Amino acid sequence: MVQIKRMASAFCLPLGALLCLSGCSTMAPNYVQPAAPVPVAWPAGDSYKAVSVVKSTPLVDIPWKEYFVEPQLRKVIALALENNRDLRVAVLNIERAQALYQIQRSNLLPKFEASAGAAFQRTPATFSSTGQPVTTSQYTVGAGLLSYEIDLFGRVQSLRDQALEQYLAIDQARRSVQISLIAEVAGGYLTLAADRERLKLAKDTLASQKESYQLIQRRYEAGVSSSLDLQQARTTVEAARVDIGRYTTAVAQDMNALALLVGSQIPAELLPAALSETVAAVKDASPGLTSDVLLRRPDILQAEGQLKSANANIGAARAAFFPKITLISSVGFGSNELSGLFKEGAFAWSVAPRISLPIFDGGSNSANLTVAEVDRNIMVARYEKAIQTAFREVADSLAQLGTIDEQLAAQQSLTDATAERYRLSQARFDKGVDSHLNVLDSQRSLYGAQQNLISTRLSRLSNQITVYKVLGGGDHD
């Protein structure tokens, strides 16, 4: 027991000193967040006149379930968050980065290894001083300190910091993937709804045009209408049939695309039949007073994490110019007999410190430092570009948000006027006052206006989704 206590003391006494020596600061430059290379205020002008800039709860703090209020859409998004493979890969990347960080972190602590062994040897008589063969036995047991770097200049600490920032950046990448997934699912859901509405409109139009064609055909057979009137009526029927085929294909492709995003088949009762006007809570989409809100976007936080990682790597590159101190030690017991392994006099120890100092390396350390500094500068440029891109995306979405209601109102008014024109031209034709050509022209105009109205409504709803995405919408439940 005395021998075992002696071995424990031999380890514990220097261990505290080793950890204190390794606890110094790194040689990495002090991190300073680059100034955002964008204006503080959002753009102003006619395009933004309807946009509210009253400071409200940042969108990043609003759970997606509170922003997207349409019940069916919520369920589809929940399915995607559970089954989408891209999101699974992003989560697994976080686990991988966490493990890599743990590896680097473990290098800051000494590693000990227990061992036990036995060796048996027979020396032939020709080598023995007694002229007789000799058989020897050796038994050992002990614990050893594996090669441990005393981190006087912060090289290992810098590598640990680099791995930590990479891990945090990958976590932000996962958030970015999740926000993009939510926005893509919502966009695919709306596209499917719009194409289904377009398909229904094409079918309704075809039914109406078939009735008109049959009327013109009877009038032609009675000699009242010309062959030109008949063929013109036929062209509208065929054009509607073409649209039905096109939108039938579009609906099927929309469903396939949405199923891929969700990662599983979507129950039919969750699929939209037409566009809804209550998809998102637009009142919560205010950008706030300044563009500082962009700094909370996950893709920008990811870029900043990569910048911090590159900054920490400079510390490791600088430390490579200084001495590297490693230590190997072991304590234990040894005996020629197993029964005497822990007796007095069997205690043994060894210490093997090693110091290495770079003298001539062909310029590799200088080159590594240059690479680390250039990598940091590259990450600064990427971080600034990410902010500029985010500012542009928000400005674009706000420009559309500021005018889309006016566009929708104008398109609705145009559709109503075109519908009234079609009604009047049909009434004039029925009374024999006007030609059927005017009826067909007003009918085509009405059909086009109705299709454009669907597209404008889709643009308005899609803008709500875009605002959610570009303002770093909340990814939590």
Side-chain angles (χ1 to χ4, degrees):
M1 181 63 69
V2 174
Q3 297 288 348
I4 295 176
K5 289 182 178 180
R6 183 185 301 175
M7 184 176 73
S9 299
F11 269 132
C12 294
L13 290 177
L15 180 57
L18 289 174
L19 295 177
C20 290
L21 287 173
S22 298
C24 65
S25 60
T26 70
M27 303 184 72
N30 292 329
Y31 173 74
V32 178
Q33 185 182 54
V38 295
V40 175
W42 300 109
D46 293 340
S47 297
Y48 308 92
K49 58 184 178 182
V51 178
S52 170
V53 292
V54 177
K55 188 172 181 59
S56 61
T57 302
L59 197 55
V60 70
D61 295 328
I62 300 176
W64 66 265
K65 286 185 177 179
E66 293 183 14
Y67 184 79
F68 294 99
V69 297
E70 209 283 320
Q72 290 177 238
L73 176 58
R74 281 182 181 176
K75 293 179 181 179
V76 175
I77 292 175
L79 282 175
L81 294 178
E82 182 179 351
N83 298 301
N84 181 267
R85 288 349 185 238
D86 289 334
L87 187 58
R88 287 187 186 178
V89 171
V91 172
L92 292 174
N93 281 336
I94 292 177
E95 295 182 12
R96 181 178 182 275
Q98 188 176 25
L100 290 174
Y101 166 64
Q102 185 61 39
I103 292 172
Q104 289 294 345
R105 184 182 180 186
S106 68
N107 290 333
L108 290 171
L109 301 174
K111 295 180 177 63
F112 297 96
E113 183 179 77
S115 63
F120 306 97
Q121 181 177 353
R122 183 181 186 276
T123 303
T126 54
F127 290 165
S128 175
S129 59
T130 62
Q132 298 294 326
V134 178
T135 301
T136 58
S137 303
Q138 291 183 343
Y139 301 91
T140 60
V141 63
L145 175 65
L146 300 181
S147 180
Y148 173 65
E149 179 177 347
I150 302 176
D151 196 26
L152 292 177
F153 303 100
R155 189 186 74 88
V156 179
Q157 176 73 28
S158 293
L159 293 176
R160 193 286 304 264
D161 293 343
Q162 179 193 25
L164 174 60
E165 295 300 339
Q166 286 288 352
Y167 162 67
L168 296 176
I170 290 177
D171 182 52
Q172 294 300 330
R174 190 275 311 163
R175 290 187 57 223
S176 184
V177 169
Q178 181 163 325
I179 291 172
S180 295
L181 175 62
I182 293 172
E184 288 178 12
V185 169
Y189 181 91
L190 292 180
T191 300
L192 173 60
D195 283 341
R196 279 189 159 181
E197 197 167 327
R198 291 186 180 109
L199 178 59
K200 182 179 183 301
L201 175 60
K203 289 181 177 179
D204 293 343
T205 302
L206 176 62
S208 174
Q209 290 173 343
K210 276 186 176 179
E211 292 180 2
S212 178
Y213 174 72
Q214 292 170 356
L215 174 62
I216 297 299
Q217 189 173 33
R218 289 193 296 269
R219 290 170 63 91
Y220 170 73
E221 292 171 353
V224 178
S225 295
S226 66
S227 177
L228 178 61
D229 290 338
L230 181 63
Q231 295 306 316
Q232 287 174 335
R234 181 183 175 187
T235 59
T236 60
V237 171
E238 299 302 331
R241 290 177 58 191
V242 169
D243 281 351
I244 289 175
R246 181 168 70 250
Y247 291 128
T248 299
T249 300
V251 166
Q253 292 175 340
D254 293 341
M255 293 177 65
N256 293 337
L258 192 57
L260 177 61
L261 286 172
V262 172
S264 64
Q265 290 300 313
I266 306 171
E269 62 271 15
L270 298 183
L271 296 175
L275 288 173
S276 170
E277 298 303 323
T278 56
V279 170
V282 189
K283 62 180 181 298
D284 292 327
S286 172
L289 290 177
T290 70
S291 61
D292 289 343
V293 68
L294 297 177
L295 300 182
R296 297 186 63 186
R297 272 183 39 154
D299 58 332
I300 293 178
L301 291 175
Q302 178 188 0
E304 186 176 16
Q306 292 170 342
L307 170 58
K308 290 179 179 179
S309 176
N311 194 72
N313 195 39
I314 294 178
R318 287 177 174 176
F321 288 90
F322 295 86
K324 183 178 179 181
I325 304 174
T326 56
L327 181 65
I328 300 175
S329 66
S330 66
V331 294
F333 306 98
S335 175
N336 290 334
E337 296 180 356
L338 185 61
S339 59
L341 192 60
F342 297 103
K343 291 184 178 180
E344 189 71 25
F347 180 69
W349 59 269
S350 67
V351 178
R354 181 175 181 269
I355 301 177
S356 61
L357 175 66
I359 297 177
F360 177 75
D361 58 7
S364 64
N365 281 341
S366 296
N368 284 333
L369 178 57
T370 300
V371 169
E373 291 173 341
V374 172
D375 284 344
R376 190 267 312 274
N377 294 337
I378 290 174
M379 292 305 170
V380 169
R382 288 181 177 174
Y383 173 71
E384 293 174 341
K385 179 62 180 296
I387 294 177
Q388 290 175 336
T389 301
F391 186 88
R392 183 267 173 99
E393 290 175 348
V394 174
D396 285 350
S397 64
L398 294 181
Q400 186 177 29
L401 181 62
T403 58
I404 190 63
D405 286 339
E406 184 177 345
Q407 294 177 39
L408 182 59
Q411 186 61 49
Q412 182 65 63
S413 179
L414 175 62
T415 303
D416 294 342
T418 308
E420 180 63 15
R421 175 193 167 194
Y422 170 65
R423 186 188 68 79
L424 293 175
S425 62
Q426 183 67 52
R428 288 172 62 86
F429 172 74
D430 293 340
K431 294 180 180 179
V433 178
D434 208 346
S435 69
H436 192 257
L437 179 60
N438 287 335
V439 176
L440 294 177
D441 182 61
S442 59
Q443 190 177 48
R444 281 192 294 265
S445 297
L446 175 60
Y447 179 67
Q450 290 171 327
Q451 292 285 8
N452 289 336
L453 180 60
I454 294 174
S455 297
T456 306
R457 291 169 56 213
L458 175 61
S459 295
R460 179 177 178 273
L461 295 172
S462 297
N463 177 256
Q464 298 172 9
I465 298 170
T466 302
V467 168
Y468 163 82
K469 179 180 178 181
V470 300
L471 288 177
D475 60 328
H476 50 289
D477 291 339

